[in-house]
């Protein structure tokens, strides 16, 4: 099948899965920003998108998309290295014009994967997994996501780690969004520059929304903000 056996097919799969994951990140970042405006609203959203059958199905779907995207990324990278051979060490004008993020997507991928594992542990394992299984995974109320966000980002180490991770995510998305559109076939010489700018704008918007939560609650805790205490059932999404 051409989706598996050809380079064009593999790039198409990368594009489709990457675009789907980018759209999810945009939705998830929009959901997260609510915790600043209304902790109770954030908890209500989490309760709706928590340990329910449709949320579990969505979680499995997202996990499948992420796994496919990661596997295809490794396959394409290995094939590119084999195809170029010693040519990859040559210095040319064309290589100098290539974006830094494009030449370091694998390194950025490792950074993002490491941050994702930490994020899954902090939020999915301690919140959604805890509610699904009934197993206590943390010394906090898994139903109060807003209070947990405040508690987590009172730790400056976590804040720095998350911001570094988000910086890596920005570089990955700023290249990956337009590249996915190009792989799908939604670009030409006329639209390529525009799509690149759209990719950078979306990447910046997504990362700024995520980062604003980290920075807001870090500053909020330093300034002695009151504890966020909300009632009601609330759990986190996959990420």
């Amino acid at each position: 099948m051409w989706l598996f056996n050809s380079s064009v097919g593999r790039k198409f799969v990368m594009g489709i899965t990457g675009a789907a994951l980018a759209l999810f990140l945009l939705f998830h970042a929009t959901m997260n920003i609510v915790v600043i405006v209304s902790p109770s609203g954030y908890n209500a959203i989490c309760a709706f998108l928590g340990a329910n059958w449709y949320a579990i199905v969505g979680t499995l779907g997202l996990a499948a998309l992420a796994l496919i995207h990661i596997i295809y990324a490794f396959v394409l990278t290995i094939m590119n290295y084999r195809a170029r051979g010693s040519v990859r060490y040559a210095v040319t004008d064309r290589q100098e014009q290539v974006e830094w993020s494009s030449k370091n997507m694998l390194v950025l991928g490792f950074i993002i994967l490491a941050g994702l594992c930490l994020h899954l542990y902090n939020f999915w394992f301690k919140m959604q997994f805890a509610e699904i299984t009934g197993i206590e995974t943390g010394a906090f109320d898994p139903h109060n996501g807003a209070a947990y966000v405040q508690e987590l980002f009172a730790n400056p180490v976590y804040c720095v780690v998350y911001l570094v991770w988000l910086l890596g995510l920005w570089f990955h998305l700023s290249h990956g969004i337009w590249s996915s559109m190009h792989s799908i076939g939604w670009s030409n010489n006329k639209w390529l520059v525009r799509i690149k700018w759209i990719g950078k704008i979306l990447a910046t918007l997504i990362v700024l929304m995520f980062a604003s939560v980290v920075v807001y609650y870090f500053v909020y805790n330093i300034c002695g903000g009151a504890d966020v205490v909300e009632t009601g059932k609330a759990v986190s999404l996959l990420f």
Side-chain angles (χ1 to χ4, degrees):
M1 189 176 179
W2 73 278
L3 290 175
F4 306 99
N5 299 327
S6 72
S7 176
V8 174
R10 285 186 284 266
K11 288 181 179 179
F12 182 80
V13 173
M14 278 286 292
I16 289 291
T17 55
L21 291 170
L23 287 174
F24 169 75
L25 286 174
L26 179 61
F27 159 75
H28 189 49
T30 304
M31 185 198 81
N32 277 13
I33 206 74
V34 176
V35 75
I36 295 176
V37 180
S38 172
S40 60
Y42 174 79
N43 278 359
I45 293 172
C46 289
F48 178 71
L49 298 173
N52 305 299
W53 69 268
Y54 48 83
I56 295 174
V57 170
T59 296
L60 293 175
L62 284 168
L65 282 174
L67 184 61
I68 292 171
H69 191 75
I70 292 169
I71 290 174
Y72 270 70
F74 276 106
V75 170
L76 283 170
T77 300
I78 292 171
M79 292 188 66
N80 287 339
Y81 269 85
R82 287 179 177 176
R84 289 198 299 266
S86 60
V87 177
R88 64 179 177 267
Y89 298 106
V91 178
T92 65
D93 292 337
R94 178 181 175 85
Q95 286 180 324
E96 290 175 358
Q97 295 171 2
V98 176
E99 294 179 352
W100 180 87
S101 56
S102 176
K103 294 186 291 185
N104 295 276
M105 288 296 277
L106 186 62
V107 175
L108 291 171
F110 278 118
I111 294 173
I112 293 167
L113 184 60
L116 177 61
C117 291
L118 176 64
H119 198 49
L120 286 172
Y121 171 74
N122 281 332
F123 288 94
W124 177 79
F125 177 71
K126 290 187 176 182
M127 298 181 73
Q128 189 181 58
F129 178 82
E131 184 167 3
I132 292 173
T133 62
I135 299 174
E136 185 177 342
T137 57
F140 63 92
D141 182 5
H143 302 117
N144 190 355
Y148 178 54
V149 170
Q150 179 188 3
E151 176 186 337
L152 183 69
F153 295 125
N155 187 328
V157 175
Y158 270 125
C159 292
V160 172
V161 169
Y162 267 84
L163 290 176
V164 170
W165 175 43
L166 289 172
L167 179 62
L169 181 62
W170 183 86
F171 279 110
H172 190 82
L173 288 175
S174 64
H175 171 78
I177 292 175
W178 77 260
S179 181
S180 66
M181 296 298 99
H182 181 70
S183 298
I184 294 171
W186 289 358
S187 68
N188 50 41
N189 292 333
K190 179 180 179 180
W191 276 93
L192 186 59
V193 174
R194 299 176 185 178
I195 290 177
K196 284 186 176 182
W197 274 107
I198 291 172
K200 290 182 185 297
I201 291 170
L202 282 177
T204 302
L205 180 63
I206 290 169
V207 169
L208 281 180
M209 284 195 287
F210 279 124
S212 64
V213 175
V214 178
V215 174
Y216 174 84
Y217 274 103
F218 179 69
V219 174
Y220 183 83
N221 283 293
I222 288 179
C223 295
D227 292 339
V228 177
V229 179
E230 302 291 342
T231 59
K233 181 181 179 182
V235 295
S236 176
L237 284 171
L238 171 64
F239 299 102

